[in-house]
C-alpha cells in the first residue's frame, strides 16, 4: 500500500455499513457523553467534545442523537465510563493499541484478551507497544479543500509539525497539546476539518504476507465490533489485494 494510505488502514475502522450503523452511533455517543462530562458541555470551550461532535457529523449521526449524548453527561445516576488502553501483539509480531471506554474493566479486559488469543496474538503490559508509536494530533481535510502546496503553506502558518497530502485527504500532524490551536487556525482558512483528534501514529510499519494480513484484519474487525472499543491502531502494512478481498 502507498505510504499515505497505510495509516488509514492502520487506524482500522470498517466503513459505515448499515448493519453497523447503530453500533457506530452508540460508540460516538459514548465518546460525546464522556467528553462533555470531563469538561464543559459546550464544544467551543471543550476541544475533546468538539472533536467528538465532528467525528459524529462525518458519520452523519443525527443532530438529535448528538444533543441527547451531551445531555446524558449531566444526568444523575448515569453510567460512569473510564478510559482504559490495552497494548498487545498480533500475528507477525505487529504492535496493537486498543483504546476503550468501559464501565467494567474486568469484562472489557477479558473480551479484548480473548480476541487477541483467538487470532494468534497476546496482550502485553502497558507500555510494551506504545513506545513504537508517536502520540500526535491529527487534523484531516478532504483533498478538494486545497492543493497540496496550499495546505503545506497553511500547515506551516498554523503551527502544524507535518502535512501529508494524498488523493483523498490532507493529514496534518501537531503536538497533542497544540491540536486545538492548530485546528482553529486552519478552520479560518478552510472551514471545519473532517476530523481533529489525538491518535497513535506508528514510527515504523511491519510488512505482512497475505495470510497474516487476513488474520490481522479479522482480529481488528473483532476488536472494532466490541462495544467498549473506541479506536484501534496497529503498525502494519499489506497489499491492496488483501484489503479489497476483506472489504468485499
Amino acid at each position: 500500500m502507498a505510504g499515505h494510505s497505510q495509516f488509514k488502514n492502520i487506524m482500522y475502522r470498517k466503513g459505515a455499513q448499515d448493519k453497523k450503523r447503530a453500533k457506530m452511533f452508540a460508540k460516538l455517543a459514548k465518546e460525546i457523553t464522556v467528553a462533555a462530562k470531563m469538561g464543559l458541555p459546550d464544544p467551543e470551550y471543550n476541544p475533546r467534545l468538539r472533536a467528538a461532535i465532528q467525528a459524529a457529523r462525518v458519520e452523519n449521526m443525527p443532530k438529535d442523537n448528538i444533543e441527547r449524548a451531551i445531555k446524558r453527561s449531566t444526568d444523575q445516576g448515569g453510567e460512569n465510563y473510564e478510559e482504559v488502553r490495552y497494548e498487545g501483539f498480533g500475528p507477525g509480531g505487529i504492535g496493537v493499541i486498543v483504546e476503550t471506554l468501559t464501565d467494567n474493566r474486568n469484562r472489557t479486559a477479558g473480551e479484548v484478551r480473548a480476541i487477541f488469543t483467538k487470532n494468534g496474538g497476546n496482550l502485553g503490559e502497558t507500555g510494551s507497544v506504545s513506545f513504537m508509536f508517536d502520540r500526535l494530533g491529527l487534523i484531516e481535510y478532504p483533498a478538494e479543500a486545497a492543493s497540496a502546496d496550499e495546505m503545506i503553506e497553511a500547515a506551516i502558518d498554523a503551527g502544524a509539525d507535518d502535512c501529508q497530502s494524498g488523493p483523498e485527504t490532507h493529514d496534518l500532524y501537531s503536538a497533542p497539546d497544540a491540536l486545538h490551536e492548530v485546528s482553529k487556525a486552519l478552520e479560518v482558512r478552510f472551514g471545519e476539518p473532517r476530523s481533529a483528534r489525538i491518535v497513535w501514529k506508528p514510527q515504523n510499519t511491519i510488512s505482512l504476507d497475505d495470510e497474516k494480513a487476513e488474520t490481522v484484519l479479522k482480529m481488528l474487525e473483532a476488536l472494532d465490533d466490541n462495544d467498549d472499543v473506541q479506536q484501534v491502531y496497529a503498525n502494519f502494512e499489506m497489499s491492496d489485494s488483501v484489503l479489497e478481498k476483506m472489504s468485499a
Side-chain angles (χ1 to χ4, degrees):
M1 299 181 70
H4 180 77
S5 60
Q6 271 176 23
F7 191 45
K8 298 302 175 194
N9 189 44
I10 289 156
M11 296 191 302
Y12 181 78
R13 182 176 289 280
K14 291 286 280 184
Q17 303 104 320
D18 288 343
K19 65 180 181 179
K20 290 197 171 185
R21 201 170 225 24
K23 185 180 288 287
M24 183 188 300
F25 283 175
K27 291 188 179 193
L28 291 165
K30 186 188 290 187
E31 170 62 18
I32 289 170
T33 299
V34 169
K37 185 175 287 190
M38 290 178 68
L40 293 170
D42 184 343
E44 277 298 311
Y45 302 99
N46 184 335
R48 178 168 174 173
L49 177 58
R50 181 180 176 84
I53 291 172
Q54 285 174 332
R57 287 174 179 163
V58 168
E59 301 299 345
N60 296 313
M61 185 172 173
K63 185 178 178 182
D64 287 350
N65 294 38
I66 294 173
E67 291 175 349
R68 279 199 301 271
I70 294 173
K71 184 178 181 299
R72 274 199 297 273
S73 70
T74 61
D75 290 346
Q76 298 299 315
E79 299 98 334
N80 285 314
Y81 297 107
E82 62 177 315
E83 297 175 281
V84 184
R85 185 177 82 239
Y86 299 94
E87 302 179 26
F89 299 89
I94 68 165
V96 182
I97 295 175
V98 183
E99 293 183 333
T100 69
L101 285 174
T102 178
D103 58 359
N104 186 324
R105 290 176 69 116
N106 291 334
R107 179 197 67 225
T108 304
E111 291 174 351
V112 170
R113 181 176 288 106
I115 293 170
F116 271 81
T117 302
K118 182 179 180 180
N119 291 280
N122 61 281
L123 275 185
E125 298 295 325
T126 300
S128 61
V129 168
S130 54
F131 75 93
M132 297 185 287
F133 292 70
D134 292 322
R135 190 69 165 151
L136 299 172
L138 170 62
I139 303 159
E140 184 179 283
Y141 276 96
E144 60 269 21
S147 69
D149 288 343
E150 288 172 334
M151 192 59 73
I152 289 173
E153 179 186 344
I156 294 171
D157 291 342
D161 295 329
D162 189 21
C163 177
Q164 298 176 7
S165 295
E168 296 181 0
T169 63
H170 302 285
D171 293 342
L172 301 95
Y173 295 97
S174 72
D177 57 4
L179 175 64
H180 183 59
E181 182 181 332
V182 173
S183 178
K184 292 291 282 185
L186 290 166
E187 191 170 327
V188 171
R189 185 161 176 179
F190 302 115
E192 188 174 279
R194 179 180 292 175
S195 67
R197 61 198 187 281
I198 308 295
V199 300
W200 291 97
K201 187 175 186 293
Q203 296 163 1
N204 297 289
T205 55
I206 297 171
S207 182
L208 298 179
D209 61 35
D210 287 3
E211 183 179 351
K212 282 190 173 64
E214 285 191 33
T215 304
V216 165
L217 285 182
K218 288 176 182 176
M219 183 179 82
L220 297 185
E221 184 172 0
L223 286 168
D224 192 58
D225 201 43
N226 184 280
D227 290 340
D228 296 331
V229 172
Q230 292 294 105
Q231 296 290 343
V232 183
Y233 305 90
N235 60 349
F236 72 99
E237 57 184 286
M238 68 178 80
S239 66
D240 286 333
S241 61
V242 175
L243 190 59
E244 289 169 5
K245 179 180 177 181
M246 295 296 292
S247 299

